[in-house]
Amino acid sequence: MSALRVKEPTIGSSGAVVTIKVNGISIKGFTSESISVALYANGIKSFDRSKKLYRPRGFFSLHPQARTVTVNVNGMPAMNPSEIYLTEGLNVYTQQKRPLSVRFFESMIDTSLLHKPIVKNRLLWPIALKFIANSINNPELVEYETPRAVPTIVEKADLVVIGGGVAGLSAAIEARRHGLEVLQIDDGVELGGEMLCDELEPPGISEPGCIFARNLRKKALELGVKVLTRTTFVGFFEDAALAFSPYPPGGGTSYLISAKAYVVATGAVDLPCIFANNDLPGIIDVSSALKMLNMHGVVAGKNVAILGATERGLRLAEHLKKYAVNTIILDKSKGGAGKDAIIDGVKEIVAIGKDRVEALEVKREGEELRLNVDCVVCATSTNPDIRISAQAGAKIAYIKGLGFVPIHDPFMRTSKNGLFVAGGASGSPYGILHAIEGRIAGLSAAVILNKKGAEAEREVLAKEYGSLLQKFGISNLKEKVFKSFETGVIPDEKIAEPPTLFCSGPRRDAFICFCEDIRLWDLHRVVSVYGFACLEKVKRATGIGTARCQGRLCLVNSALYIAHIASLSPNVVGIARQRPPAISIPINVLANMEVNKT
């Protein structure tokens, strides 16, 4: 057992112990865990090099759609290590090379590709373009066989629930109870979502979160909900919706989907914190830290700094302390010092390390600290996963305290007919709210499909929902959402600064887009020099949000930072247009789709 593995995995069953090779060296892991977890458990945190600057990269999030790193698996390049699960004899190779020319010219490289006019003259530009093309860290071209035809399955249902967490399961259960044919799609290994990772009692729930989630899953399956796991809902196209599973590896399976209603319950996205060298391996999100510990038996580190004295940050600290992990919580606000090892009033953070985080330099009022840590967990802020709702045409607006959310009413109806939202995807922060919102969304789907009794049950639940919003102190925030749905008027609210920002200025070593190496400096220059203050224009100028994670980790932070430095409302800056596909799909999947009409 490695130093970071404190217990055997608990996800489903631990599976068999297997041996894989990483860069020719044998390590052990379990068939129930992904390559990312197995490497991390064995102390391997650097998987890849970044695209333009060749900086060391590890995963920030274990979510299969947060594709910040790729590895070579059995000869196949650019594979997502958080999607591929261990099998005996697997061969994994990581990218660790860094060209000497990149090391020498790093301080001069403009990663946003906004080149100065002098470079664009007719003589120098072709030379510069060739150098840039040859320097970008793209996977090496190799030949490998793929299936001539990718299996494509047609799925029809009354209701499609996108997401398999507490909100999604609750929606599926209610809809199935009223006789709807329900298809549930989730990109995880098993249904239950993040609450599967919680061994404590969440607020408002009288049993451990993992038990609560498993009971919901059991009930959904007993009622006959059809489930597709390890499958990502790709998006809405003109004549159908599309989902994709990367299994079997090397080919995958695609699904053409037709339904009368959809519930988006894709949860929330943990936003990366922005500080110097925030791209170092060993800096991860709170969801991944909880998942590694409670589902795979792996602690994030032995000395862990948690950024954000939020409810989730404090719960993670409580989990880690059970396994003798030293934790320290850093928070921007004041008044938390002396409570559970909280350092408050933090102004600036610098991560120290060569190929992984080894220490933090922390600046607060009148004091500078150096903390020896081997992991940093970002827990300051989340934002609803809005991509699918936005693709479908639902109206998105920024509500201070909730983030960018799909505008909806108390019955979880969005501005797009037949599309409902629930749970973290609606901006609600607590599991008990996710459960009741999911139930309301499922009943709303039953109502529009004319199922008897659904409307009366929904009215009763809506009253209970209002009481819960009052109890947890977010009724004012949600009322803004409901009012915007009713009136069509979006609040014009400005922000002091992004909650994730731990920088005093636009640094060249503070990254806002890990995929494209876009830094605060690049973003600040686009706004201050070129005058772009619309995220759609910034996206086109810099390429931010166009790479492997499709903006999952960077677009919200970018919008908030632009709003901050331009003194605008985030609703003026906007969120970039969300186009399908929501994830990067192998080109052979789209080229060789053959529909199985049976």
Side-chain angles (χ1 to χ4, degrees):
M1 189 176 287
S2 70
L4 295 180
R5 194 183 293 282
V6 293
K7 60 179 181 178
E8 287 195 357
T10 57
I11 178 170
S13 61
S14 63
V17 177
V18 294
T19 300
I20 68 171
K21 286 191 175 181
V22 181
N23 300 327
I25 299 173
S26 296
I27 66 170
K28 292 188 180 296
F30 293 87
T31 54
S32 63
E33 58 195 18
S34 66
I35 293 172
S36 292
V37 174
L39 266 59
Y40 198 100
N42 283 274
I44 303 170
K45 297 183 180 180
S46 181
F47 297 0
D48 199 0
R49 289 279 179 175
S50 67
K51 185 174 181 179
K52 298 169 185 173
L53 299 179
Y54 286 79
R55 290 171 67 93
R57 285 282 193 272
F59 68 82
F60 171 76
S61 173
L62 287 172
H63 196 286
Q65 295 179 37
R67 303 179 173 196
T68 52
V69 292
T70 63
V71 295
N72 185 299
V73 181
N74 290 343
M76 291 185 288
M79 301 296 286
N80 180 7
S82 296
E83 274 185 319
I84 307 301
Y85 286 75
L86 302 195
T87 56
E88 182 66 40
L90 206 66
N91 277 295
V92 178
Y93 290 92
T94 64
Q95 159 69 294
Q96 299 297 335
K97 296 179 181 178
R98 194 179 193 217
L100 183 63
S101 59
V102 173
R103 298 182 195 180
F104 183 77
F105 289 109
E106 178 177 350
S107 61
M108 308 177 203
I109 295 175
D110 181 353
T111 60
S112 69
L113 299 181
L114 288 172
H115 305 288
K116 294 180 180 179
I118 192 171
V119 181
K120 291 189 177 181
N121 69 59
R122 294 181 179 180
L123 294 176
L124 293 181
W125 178 243
I127 300 173
L129 192 62
K130 186 175 181 180
F131 172 77
I132 292 166
N134 291 335
S135 299
I136 288 177
N137 184 22
N138 285 320
E140 294 182 7
L141 294 177
V142 298
E143 291 186 5
Y144 61 92
E145 291 187 4
T146 60
R148 291 190 63 186
V150 176
T152 303
I153 301 170
V154 176
E155 294 283 359
K156 294 183 178 181
D158 294 321
L159 175 67
V160 170
V161 179
I162 308 166
V166 166
L169 285 169
S170 300
I173 289 169
E174 290 298 325
R176 192 75 190 103
R177 275 200 320 109
H178 284 81
L180 300 186
E181 292 297 323
V182 180
L183 173 66
Q184 187 147 31
I185 300 172
D186 190 65
D187 49 23
V189 179
E190 60 178 335
L191 299 178
E194 187 174 316
M195 199 171 283
L196 280 177
C197 309
D198 198 342
E199 295 181 343
L200 305 175
E201 293 181 2
I205 297 175
S206 59
E207 60 185 349
C210 54
I211 294 176
F212 183 78
R214 290 189 182 110
N215 287 338
L216 284 177
R217 179 180 65 199
K218 181 181 178 182
K219 189 171 184 180
L221 295 177
E222 287 175 349
L223 287 171
V225 174
K226 186 173 183 178
V227 175
L228 298 177
T229 54
R230 297 188 183 183
T231 303
T232 299
F233 189 87
V234 172
F236 294 96
F237 293 84
E238 185 175 349
D239 52 357
L242 180 66
F244 174 71
S245 171
Y247 293 88
T253 304
S254 55
Y255 298 88
L256 286 175
I257 298 167
S258 176
K260 300 171 184 175
Y262 293 84
V263 172
V264 179
T266 47
V269 179
D270 290 303
L271 299 181
C273 293
I274 307 166
F275 53 92
N277 299 321
N278 62 328
D279 62 329
L280 278 174
I283 300 174
I284 64 177
D285 68 354
V286 64
S287 295
S288 298
L290 283 167
K291 182 176 182 178
M292 282 199 298
L293 176 58
N294 292 330
M295 298 178 74
H296 299 291
V298 178
V299 292
K302 291 298 183 181
N303 298 285
V304 177
I306 300 172
L307 305 188
T310 58
E311 192 261 343
R312 296 171 77 232
L314 294 170
R315 288 176 74 79
L316 173 63
E318 194 173 347
H319 278 85
L320 291 175
K321 286 175 184 177
K322 294 192 297 184
Y323 298 96
V325 174
N326 298 318
T327 61
I328 187 76
I329 298 174
L330 307 177
D331 197 63
K332 295 180 71 170
S333 62
K334 298 179 181 179
K339 300 178 182 178
D340 295 321
I342 296 176
I343 297 176
D344 64 354
V346 174
K347 299 292 185 183
E348 191 165 358
I349 295 174
V350 178
I352 308 296
K354 185 178 180 182
D355 61 355
R356 64 181 64 196
V357 63
E358 297 172 359
L360 288 182
E361 291 180 355
V362 180
K363 292 183 180 179
R364 58 195 298 260
E365 290 184 4
E367 187 178 18
E368 294 187 11
L369 306 170
R370 182 182 174 93
L371 306 174
N372 293 320
V373 299
D374 56 359
C375 177
V376 178
V377 177
C378 297
T380 59
S381 184
T382 63
N383 195 88
D385 186 353
I386 60 173
R387 291 178 302 163
I388 298 302
S389 298
Q391 277 183 24
K395 191 172 185 179
I396 307 296
Y398 180 81
I399 305 295
K400 189 183 292 185
L402 297 179
F404 286 96
V405 301
I407 296 302
H408 57 276
D409 70 358
F411 299 134
M412 313 317 296
R413 299 177 297 192
T414 69
S415 57
K416 178 70 174 179
N417 288 337
L419 186 78
F420 307 91
V421 68
S426 79
S428 294
Y430 300 107
I432 188 63
L433 293 175
H434 296 181
I436 196 166
E437 286 186 351
R439 293 180 65 192
I440 292 172
L443 289 171
S444 290
V447 169
I448 68 167
L449 295 177
N450 301 315
K451 297 298 179 179
K452 292 182 179 180
E455 189 166 7
E457 288 188 35
R458 188 180 67 173
E459 292 291 340
V460 173
L461 272 184
K463 291 180 181 179
E464 183 182 343
Y465 176 49
S467 299
L468 282 173
L469 292 178
Q470 290 279 357
K471 178 180 178 182
F472 288 102
I474 65 168
S475 59
N476 290 339
L477 299 178
K478 278 288 191 174
E479 282 298 331
K480 290 182 181 179
V481 179
F482 303 154
K483 186 175 180 180
S484 292
F485 177 89
E486 182 181 345
T487 64
V489 178
I490 297 173
D492 184 22
E493 300 177 314
K494 294 185 179 181
I495 59 171
E497 68 175 24
T500 54
L501 186 64
F502 291 88
C503 278
S504 58
R507 299 183 61 123
R508 282 179 171 264
D509 54 3
F511 289 82
I512 202 159
C513 176
F514 301 140
C515 300
E516 292 287 328
D517 277 333
I518 307 297
R519 306 157 293 188
L520 278 189
W521 182 82
D522 299 303
L523 214 58
H524 192 277
R525 188 173 63 128
V526 169
V527 177
S528 60
V529 176
Y530 294 92
F532 296 153
C534 164
L535 185 56
E536 188 65 42
K537 289 183 179 179
V538 171
K539 177 182 175 182
R540 296 180 188 188
T542 63
I544 200 164
T546 61
R548 291 193 292 247
C549 84
Q550 295 290 287
R552 177 181 177 86
L553 300 178
C554 62
L555 286 183
V556 170
N557 266 340
S558 299
L560 296 181
Y561 184 70
I562 293 167
H564 166 55
I565 60 178
S567 297
L568 296 171
S569 164
N571 284 317
V572 175
V573 175
I575 201 75
R577 184 176 178 183
Q578 303 295 295
R579 299 177 176 87
I583 60 168
S584 302
I585 300 177
I587 191 66
N588 65 295
V589 171
L590 298 175
N592 297 323
M593 287 175 63
E594 288 188 0
V595 177
N596 180 2
K597 295 182 180 180
T598 60

